[in-house]
Amino acid sequence: MEPAVSLAVCALLFLLWVRVKGLEFVLIHQRWVFVCLFLLPLSLIFDIYYYVRAWVVFKLSSAPRLHEQRVRDIQKQVREWKEQGSKTFMCTGRPGWLTVSLRVGKYKKTHKNIMINLMDILEVDTKKQIVRVEPLVTMGQVTALLTSIGWTLPVLPELDDLTVGGLIMGTGIESSSHKYGLFQHICTAYELVLADGSFVRCTPMENSDLFYAVPWSCGTLGFLVAAEIRIIPAKKYIKLRFEPVHGLEAICDKFTRESQRPENHFVEGLLYSLEEAVIMTGVMTDEAEPSKLNSIGNYYKPWFFKHVENYLKTNREGLEYIPLRHYYHRHTRSIFWELQDIIPFGNNPIFRYLFGWMVPPKISLLKLTQGETLRKLYEQHHVVQDMLVPMKCLPQALHTFHNDIHVYPIWLCPFILPSQPGLVHPKGDETELYVDIGAYGEPRVKHFEARSCMRQLEKFVRSVHGFQMLYADCYMDREEFWEMFDGSLYHRLRKQLGCQDAFPEVYDKICKAARH
């Protein structure tokens, strides 16, 4: 009873302090207080609710029956919009603050909101090695279910709250992508409701143009209502090797070589400065040496990027066996390294043991409570970007990141990019090895100005035939955007499917120059 009374007293004192100082002052200057006292408990409640709901729905096998009914309801909403004169564009009715993207979708206020309540795993077919899911299913749901029955996705992007729909309509990547490609490349079928309310299923063989045009289209070709995704047998552990590397040339050579080795199931690099990195390679295994077992996902464990940094500081190689699900969500507890800016003492052992079981706060709740002032501060003094460039351009790219924004750590994740139709493909006709360079944090470059610095970085990425992930702030004008992305198939399908009056163009939906 005493802890509850103490917590109530602390909450009361906090509310009095907020009343004296003002809520905006607290949210900006003492954000960790608000996050620890309110957002962490609320995030925990969200997680418990969605986990229990997903488990109950799947066990009762009610999802397939309800799915068809919900799809018909979406079709009905679209047809009603059409009957009413198609006066505005359509978009999903999901609130903008619920998305993992830091961008604020103001179009939700002016467009026709189509309510899409599709958040269930519909079927796992181990014979065909396919899982069929609805678009709002999260990676947390997928790993919880699939790993419990001995299966997994070939590419399972990191954060728990990432949804299947976001990973298809945007993109997704993981340290296995050097073998399997991006998230879109493990998908075998999409089901959509189109601008006229009709239902269509597309695969590489059936309605193939639409199948290849959907990824990266950000919901501007139709409403995704289900997807079929490949699954592969899972093993219990990841045998993970850590190797510190010094010198930019050595880092790039080592990372490229490991990314090209087919025996590596997972390849990842963390760059702590332009000349210091730790390269990690992993393989799935059912056997583990007990003395080297590291359940890194336990709430009291050090944040993963800090744990990795210890290998660099001590200049030693390492070998660990990490439980599969812990590995998949190794960066989740610290939101890569973003949480250190929100809760500066979050990796302190005392905090981890007392409150680590509630970490991380939901990104959606952080967005909902940040306020306009804090959002503008983040926009001007904080970078969250993933740039995809050919592996052969990695040394030049890292120099550019260092000079333009100077953010560390930097995440390096290799992936193969097949030569397929759509918005994103290599310059030539053959599959090419690319790398995702992820920069998340406060820029240390002098006189950083978000728009000019990011436009400079975007220019470099275009010059090497690279791509910018569309969840992040994009400063390109329309001509520059379509120089980066191949819009030939996309624009043809928008005209063919009647999307021009139903959905905004992808550029107008995501780029800062087009948004108001």
Side-chain angles (χ1 to χ4, degrees):
M1 193 68 183
E2 288 182 5
V5 173
S6 300
L7 189 61
V9 170
C10 289
L12 182 60
L13 291 173
F14 174 72
L15 291 172
L16 290 172
W17 183 44
V18 168
R19 182 164 185 178
V20 172
K21 288 287 190 178
L23 181 60
E24 190 171 86
F25 176 89
V26 174
L27 290 180
I28 293 173
H29 299 286
Q30 305 293 337
R31 188 158 171 76
W32 65 267
V33 179
F34 182 77
V35 169
C36 292
L37 286 180
F38 292 96
L39 293 194
L40 287 180
L42 194 56
S43 298
L44 184 66
I45 293 169
F46 266 59
D47 282 336
I48 293 172
Y49 167 75
Y50 282 112
Y51 178 82
V52 171
R53 181 190 182 280
W55 184 86
V56 169
V57 165
F58 194 78
K59 288 296 182 182
L60 295 179
S61 299
S62 61
R65 176 175 53 82
L66 294 176
H67 173 75
E68 293 179 7
Q69 177 184 326
R70 289 170 180 163
V71 171
R72 286 194 294 270
D73 180 63
I74 293 166
Q75 291 179 282
K76 180 183 177 183
Q77 291 179 68
V78 172
R79 287 168 181 153
E80 286 175 352
W81 164 84
K82 200 168 181 65
E83 290 168 3
Q84 292 167 3
S86 311
K87 295 175 183 176
T88 62
F89 289 138
M90 291 183 289
C91 67
T92 65
R94 190 183 187 209
W97 60 269
L98 274 175
T99 64
V100 173
S101 168
L102 295 180
R103 186 171 55 245
V104 178
K106 295 182 179 179
Y107 59 86
K108 298 275 186 182
K109 297 177 181 178
T110 58
H111 294 183
K112 169 66 176 177
N113 283 214
I114 303 298
M115 302 311 297
I116 298 179
N117 184 28
L118 300 171
M119 55 182 70
D120 296 318
I121 298 174
L122 301 174
E123 179 185 8
V124 179
D125 188 331
T126 54
K127 290 184 179 179
K128 294 182 179 179
Q129 297 194 6
I130 291 292
V131 59
R132 183 167 173 255
V133 299
E134 293 179 329
L136 295 181
V137 166
T138 67
M139 291 301 98
Q141 283 176 260
V142 169
T143 50
L145 176 65
L146 290 183
T147 55
S148 70
I149 58 175
W151 293 83
T152 187
L153 299 183
V155 177
L156 206 153
E158 171 64 35
L159 299 178
D160 278 6
D161 291 342
L162 292 171
T163 64
V164 168
L167 294 168
I168 291 171
M169 291 297 184
T171 193
I173 191 170
E174 185 45 274
S175 54
S176 57
S177 288
H178 68 293
K179 289 175 65 73
Y180 299 104
L182 299 172
F183 190 83
Q184 69 205 57
H185 300 127
I186 64 168
C187 296
T188 59
Y190 307 128
E191 297 172 20
L192 299 103
V193 171
L194 301 180
D196 61 357
S198 63
F199 171 85
V200 66
R201 184 174 186 270
C202 54
T203 71
M205 303 299 293
E206 177 188 7
N207 299 310
S208 59
D209 281 353
L210 183 58
F211 178 80
Y212 290 116
V214 162
W216 296 73
S217 65
C218 297
T220 59
L221 291 172
F223 294 110
L224 184 70
V225 294
E228 294 177 13
I229 310 168
R230 288 169 52 202
I231 57 175
I232 58 175
K235 295 186 177 181
K236 293 179 181 178
Y237 306 103
I238 302 298
K239 183 181 179 181
L240 193 65
R241 296 186 181 276
F242 302 80
E243 184 173 343
V245 186
H246 298 271
L248 181 60
E249 184 177 348
I251 291 169
C252 294
D253 287 347
K254 173 71 174 175
F255 188 72
T256 302
R257 285 199 313 273
E258 297 296 348
S259 301
Q260 293 170 334
R261 292 177 61 188
E263 60 266 33
N264 286 331
H265 297 166
F266 303 93
V267 179
E268 175 184 25
L270 293 186
L271 198 72
Y272 291 91
S273 76
L274 192 59
E275 303 290 333
E276 298 176 308
V278 178
I279 307 299
M280 290 159 280
T281 57
V283 295
M284 280 192 190
T285 179
D286 281 323
E287 306 296 328
E289 300 175 48
S291 62
K292 295 180 179 178
L293 183 62
N294 184 3
S295 300
I296 193 68
N298 288 342
Y299 70 88
Y300 51 83
K301 289 282 189 173
W303 289 346
F304 185 71
F305 79 98
K306 287 294 187 182
H307 173 66
V308 173
E309 191 176 15
N310 285 331
Y311 285 103
L312 185 64
K313 289 180 176 178
T314 56
N315 197 28
R316 62 184 176 90
E317 296 183 10
L319 174 65
E320 297 177 359
Y321 293 84
I322 300 177
L324 180 64
R325 190 157 189 254
H326 289 224
Y327 176 79
Y328 278 141
H329 300 290
R330 63 201 178 280
H331 293 297
T332 294
R333 287 190 300 125
S334 56
I335 317 178
F336 282 84
W337 30 93
E338 289 279 67
L339 197 57
Q340 67 181 349
D341 291 333
I342 299 170
I343 307 177
F345 47 82
N347 194 47
N348 183 284
I350 297 174
F351 180 86
R352 293 201 311 265
Y353 274 90
L354 292 178
F355 303 107
W357 52 278
M358 290 193 289
V359 167
K362 289 280 187 188
I363 295 175
S364 54
L365 295 179
L366 289 171
K367 281 176 62 178
L368 180 64
T369 59
Q370 72 178 178
E372 189 65 17
T373 303
L374 188 59
R375 188 188 67 78
K376 288 180 179 178
L377 280 173
Y378 260 68
E379 187 177 297
Q380 289 303 319
H381 303 287
H382 200 84
V383 167
V384 180
Q385 291 284 347
D386 282 86
M387 298 293 188
L388 316 181
V389 300
M391 183 68 81
K392 62 189 176 186
C393 302
L394 180 58
Q396 185 184 0
L398 291 179
H399 269 295
T400 303
F401 269 74
H402 181 81
N403 295 331
D404 288 353
I405 57 175
H406 202 278
V407 169
Y408 292 99
I410 280 178
W411 190 53
L412 300 178
C413 186
F415 68 99
I416 54 168
L417 186 60
S419 181
Q420 295 175 345
L423 286 161
V424 171
H425 56 75
K427 191 172 184 179
D429 296 328
E430 296 181 356
T431 296
E432 186 171 351
L433 185 63
Y434 270 62
V435 57
D436 174 8
I437 304 176
Y440 325 117
E442 184 179 346
R444 303 296 179 184
V445 68
K446 289 184 178 179
H447 311 300
F448 175 80
E449 198 279 317
R451 186 179 185 278
S452 60
C453 289
M454 290 315 306
R455 279 187 56 77
Q456 197 167 321
L457 194 57
E458 290 167 348
K459 182 180 180 181
F460 165 78
V461 173
R462 290 196 306 276
S463 73
V464 297
H465 198 73
F467 308 95
Q468 180 179 25
M469 283 198 184
L470 300 182
Y471 76 87
D473 283 334
C474 174
Y475 293 84
M476 292 181 282
D477 63 31
R478 194 178 303 272
E479 183 179 350
E480 292 166 340
F481 182 85
W482 291 117
E483 179 188 337
M484 178 179 285
F485 297 97
D486 181 358
S488 53
L489 177 61
Y490 172 79
H491 289 303
R492 176 162 62 82
L493 279 176
R494 274 179 60 82
K495 185 175 181 180
Q496 179 182 321
L497 298 174
C499 298
Q500 292 166 322
D501 296 324
F503 306 105
E505 186 183 293
V506 62
Y507 174 81
D508 295 311
K509 193 170 183 179
I510 64 98
C511 285
K512 293 187 75 66
R515 289 183 286 123
H516 301 288

